[in-house]
Amino acid sequence: MKSIPITDVSSLKNELKKYKMGKKLEIPRFNQLARMAYLGRLVMTPLDPEDPSCKSFLVHIQEPQGLAAHFIDLDEDLQDGILILDSEQSMAMAGIMQAGVEDRARWHQALNERDFYFSSFYRPKDQEAQGEISQNG
């Protein structure tokens, strides 16, 4: 980060304004962050909740865990990192995070309702007959 002389108040205000606007990520980094959002591995908080004009978010990225850690690639500097994301990408990230939560909830609900016994041990009579024909034929 560059240093700004304390006496230069206008430069300090300009830097603060740029800082509060947040940063846009490049497409590959946005996609990496979006994967973490989908998995629920982001913590997002408004950068300045007291300033209604500041729409940027402070984003903490948590590393993928478990099975996801074997498949999801995340740049080293993003792992356990903190970013200031601009308002547009922050809102997109929040939507992705919500979609991930909803999809996981549906998956868990379907898992809870699934009947493993019948899918493992029960075959309708016509499928059994076809199985016998193919084994004998």
Side-chain angles (χ1 to χ4, degrees):
M1 184 173 192
K2 62 182 179 180
S3 62
I4 303 168
I6 299 293
T7 56
D8 191 357
V9 177
S10 64
S11 292
L12 188 60
K13 285 182 180 180
N14 286 339
E15 283 298 313
L16 184 58
K17 186 177 179 182
K18 280 192 248 178
Y19 188 74
K20 283 180 119 179
M21 290 178 68
K23 178 183 172 188
K24 278 208 182 294
L25 297 174
E26 310 85 40
I27 293 171
R29 291 174 70 81
F30 179 87
N31 284 330
Q32 288 181 35
L33 209 64
R35 291 179 191 110
M36 295 297 100
Y38 188 84
L39 292 172
R41 303 297 299 162
L42 295 187
V43 178
M44 296 177 64
T45 185
L47 179 62
D48 188 354
E50 295 176 6
D51 180 2
S53 67
C54 182
K55 305 289 185 194
S56 300
F57 275 73
L58 193 62
V59 179
H60 175 245
I61 306 136
Q62 300 170 338
E63 295 180 43
Q65 292 183 335
L67 192 58
H70 295 283
F71 296 100
I72 307 280
D73 294 325
L74 188 62
D75 288 348
E76 201 169 300
D77 64 322
L78 289 179
Q79 294 180 12
D80 209 30
I82 297 175
L83 305 170
I84 298 173
L85 206 53
D86 80 329
S87 62
E88 184 180 31
Q89 289 189 345
S90 293
M91 292 299 103
M93 212 56 69
I96 293 165
M97 193 180 302
Q98 181 177 356
V101 169
E102 291 169 355
D103 287 350
R104 285 192 305 281
R106 278 191 295 275
W107 184 85
H108 285 287
Q109 184 177 8
L111 178 63
N112 188 49
E113 295 170 2
R114 185 172 172 188
D115 189 324
F116 288 94
Y117 182 85
F118 282 109
S119 65
S120 298
F121 297 107
Y122 174 74
R123 287 191 186 147
K125 295 282 185 198
D126 59 335
Q127 284 184 358
E128 286 180 16
Q130 286 179 353
E132 289 175 14
I133 292 171
S134 64
Q135 287 176 357
N136 294 333

